[in-house]
Amino acid sequence: MDERKLLYITSWDFTHPEADGVCKKIIGQIKAFRKAGFYVDYTFIRNGNTYILRDDKEICLGSNHHLSQYGALRLISIYVKKHNDYRNVYIRYSSSDVFFVKIVKTLHENKAVSIVE
């Protein structure tokens, strides 16, 4: 497991104009992590689908349907369980629900260092 590999988890929809300020902050944080020497993969929502940008390749994790953030977090949770190669995780999520708890539990089991904003 690479000590410099970081997963930035967010379920913000990058296509909604009202989220523009938040998206700029997220992109700024990702740039700061990269400047600090981390290899950063990150999740996001676009047009009702959840994606991860992993190794500079966009991977669609699936459709959120009508569940938006909850659906996204469910898909991200499944992904994290299968790909447990992240040593560092930064989570930007606004509430606590069953999918959030599952991700945190999986990360803890994988001995990842997690920071929640």
Side-chain angles (χ1 to χ4, degrees):
M1 190 178 304
D2 188 345
E3 296 292 323
R4 298 169 295 155
K5 192 158 186 166
L6 182 140
L7 175 62
Y8 189 114
I9 296 176
T10 183
S11 56
W12 280 97
D13 190 335
F14 280 34
T15 56
H16 285 282
E18 62 272 8
D20 188 47
V22 174
C23 293
K24 285 180 183 176
K25 180 180 179 186
I26 290 168
I27 296 300
Q29 288 173 317
I30 290 168
K31 286 179 182 178
F33 282 124
R34 287 181 174 157
K35 189 175 180 182
F38 288 95
Y39 300 105
V40 182
D41 296 338
Y42 64 94
T43 64
F44 60 96
I45 297 173
R46 186 177 62 222
N47 298 323
N49 293 307
T50 300
Y51 293 87
I52 182 165
L53 189 73
R54 181 179 174 111
D55 300 325
D56 295 322
K57 296 177 187 158
E58 261 186 32
I59 301 166
C60 183
L61 302 180
S63 174
N64 302 334
H65 303 292
H66 63 283
L67 298 174
S68 188
Q69 288 188 339
Y70 300 116
L73 204 57
R74 180 183 64 81
L75 293 168
I76 295 166
S77 178
I78 293 166
Y79 179 85
V80 167
K81 199 157 186 89
K82 289 180 184 176
H83 299 87
N84 59 3
D85 58 340
Y86 294 100
R87 176 71 177 108
N88 304 286
V89 180
Y90 187 90
I91 304 170
R92 181 184 177 91
Y93 193 67
S94 59
S95 63
S96 180
D97 55 42
V98 68
F99 302 116
F100 176 79
V101 172
K102 281 183 181 183
I103 284 179
V104 171
K105 183 178 177 186
T106 299
L107 294 169
H108 177 73
E109 290 168 354
N110 294 338
K111 302 193 181 352
V113 176
S114 303
I115 298 172
V116 179
E117 179 180 344

